[in-house]
Amino acid sequence: MGKLIKNHWARLIVLTAAAYQILAAIQGFFWPKIFWDFATKNFDGAVKPVPILQIINLLFGIFILAWEWPLGIVTHSVLHRSIEARLVVYPLSALVALLLYQGTNAGLYYLIGMGVYFWAFSEGEIVCPVPWTLPRRYMVSKV
């Protein structure tokens, strides 16, 4: 059996979270609700009458879906290959998703994906320039 390539697994988890975040943002336009409304009503201004939080969730979801899929312009960029950049952006996206009532599952998926990306980063994995490929082994020939 082969080794688990953790950054591929994390990519699938984060793709699921981004798709879920987009759907939650769209649903939030119709039923605006902040997750923490049981504790305080101070955050209701973020979801109604102007859907600020829903728009931010939609933009984060589209950006991360384009980053992880990836789009052709992102494929060979340094941003696409950087696990560190993901570990900086995903906590912000998880926070925004966790604030919206419909996006709590997406926020939890982001947290799991961040944990797996951190695991991959700590073991020295790299993200290949071409998506869904394996790093090449350089064989040293003995002469």
Side-chain angles (χ1 to χ4, degrees):
M1 304 252 345
K3 287 181 63 175
L4 173 65
I5 302 171
K6 288 166 260 334
N7 67 45
H8 287 201
W9 181 36
R11 179 177 285 160
L12 291 173
I13 294 169
V14 172
L15 278 170
T16 304
Y20 201 104
Q21 187 177 19
I22 292 170
L23 293 174
I26 293 170
Q27 187 180 15
F29 284 116
F30 298 107
W31 298 282
K33 186 172 169 103
I34 197 89
F35 181 70
W36 305 103
D37 69 344
F38 60 86
T40 181
K41 299 289 183 190
N42 292 338
F43 298 123
D44 283 350
V47 292
K48 56 186 173 185
V50 180
I52 298 168
L53 192 58
Q54 293 92 319
I55 292 170
I56 293 171
N57 268 296
L58 187 63
L59 293 176
F60 264 111
I62 291 170
F63 171 71
I64 290 174
L65 197 65
W67 188 5
E68 287 290 344
W69 187 258
L71 284 180
I73 57 174
V74 182
T75 303
H76 295 286
S77 68
V78 176
L79 183 67
H80 170 68
R81 289 180 284 157
S82 175
I83 293 178
E84 297 91 345
R86 287 174 167 89
L87 291 175
V88 170
V89 173
Y90 293 161
L92 298 173
S93 186
L95 175 67
V96 171
L98 286 170
L99 286 175
L100 191 64
Y101 178 75
Q102 292 89 349
T104 52
N105 285 348
L108 294 175
Y109 295 158
Y110 277 126
L111 293 175
I112 294 168
M114 282 187 299
V116 176
Y117 264 127
F118 184 75
W119 184 15
F121 176 73
S122 64
E123 289 192 357
E125 282 191 18
I126 60 168
V127 178
C128 295
V130 179
W132 305 111
T133 59
L134 300 174
R136 297 205 179 267
R137 291 186 186 180
Y138 294 103
M139 302 296 273
V140 179
S141 61
K142 295 180 181 179
V143 180

